Amino acid sequence: GWKAVDDTVVLRDNVGVYLAPIQSFAYERSIYDSENDYGRDVLEGWAALTDCIYLWTYSTNFTAYMFISDTYSMFNEEGYQYFASFNVDMIVNQGQWDTPYSTAWHNLKMYLDSKLQWDCSLSTQTLTDNFFNAMYGPAAQAMQDLFAEQIAYTRKTFEDAGFYNAGSTTLDSGVKQSQYWPLALLESWIEKFDAAKALLDPNDPNYELYASHIEFETVSPLYLVLYFYGSDSSALATASRTEYRNRL
């Protein structure tokens, strides 16, 4: 491990360090992934000099709010337990701070952060199950299956494209290419969100709440369809284009 070269570089008891590793970590990967070797070195080097570390991390792509940003591999119990082991006293995990609503599963990120930053011994899977049950009621399993499908697709596609490297979460806009978002795929996701909503009972007192939560997540594929295929010359049917615009 890291050691101070001498006492002159060790911080005083009332001095800490605030790190904002925007380029050091690949936030879409596990904290122990080889892509994060450098980021861990930075953190562990400072931990040899102080018992007080603050972190400002990042859990979205600031150039692509409506696109899935898969940071779940980093910000789980494993990641937070790692940070805690090096005396990280506080974390600001910056996500979508300037939008009134969140789509593309960012609400799940906020929930997991709110729990794991206080108690990193909790199970990410259990918390995820709790979130889906509370947010979607009878449609919980259908929504969780769709979440798993979208994350699996994103991981495979972006891994092959080389987006999962240090700094890509905040700086890379390469995800905004239609080749990664086929129209048929996006429309199939919209259909699955609608099918999940159809599982709800209109007589349930929580119907409107559950339905609105599902519609929030539908915003992402609706937006992507119109972003890539919204022009009159595209392959998108005119009726579908009108319907999707009205829903947004």
Side-chain angles (χ1 to χ4, degrees), residues 106-148:
H106 286 278
N107 287 314
L108 173 59
K109 294 182 183 184
M110 289 187 284
Y111 174 73
L112 292 176
D113 283 346
S114 72
K115 296 295 186 180
L116 292 169
Q117 288 183 5
W118 285 106
D119 185 356
C120 59
S121 71
L122 298 174
S123 162
T124 303
Q125 186 57 59
T126 299
L127 292 173
T128 300
D129 293 343
N130 293 344
F131 174 87
F132 276 87
N133 288 329
M135 291 289 282
Y136 307 113
Q141 190 58 59
M143 291 293 285
Q144 198 157 358
D145 290 344
L146 185 49
F147 167 72

Side-chain angles (χ1 to χ4, degrees), residues 71-119:
T71 60
Y72 306 96
S73 295
M74 167 76 82
F75 298 109
N76 50 34
E77 75 263 38
E78 179 184 64
Y80 281 120
Q81 286 168 14
Y82 170 82
F83 293 138
S85 71
F86 288 96
N87 300 312
V88 172
D89 288 339
M90 183 190 74
I91 295 178
V92 174
N93 191 22
Q94 185 174 352
Q96 297 184 2
W97 61 276
D98 55 354
T99 60
Y101 306 106
S102 289
T103 188
W105 308 109
H106 286 278
N107 287 314
L108 173 59
K109 294 182 183 184
M110 289 187 284
Y111 174 73
L112 292 176
D113 283 346
S114 72
K115 296 295 186 180
L116 292 169
Q117 288 183 5
W118 285 106
D119 185 356

Side-chain angles (χ1 to χ4, degrees), residues 20-34:
I22 194 168
Q23 288 290 307
S24 305
F25 284 123
Y27 289 107
E28 307 93 337
R29 295 179 180 266
S30 163
I31 187 65
Y32 295 108
D33 189 276
S34 59

Side-chain angles (χ1 to χ4, degrees), residues 64-69 104 106 175-176 181 220 223-224 227-228:
Y65 272 3
M66 298 294 174
F67 294 69
I68 294 171
S69 176
H106 286 278
V175 299
K176 294 181 178 180
W181 307 99
S220 173
Y223 173 88
L224 297 186
Y227 181 85
F228 291 119

Side-chain angles (χ1 to χ4, degrees), residues 17 226 248:
V17 60
L226 294 174
L248 287 176

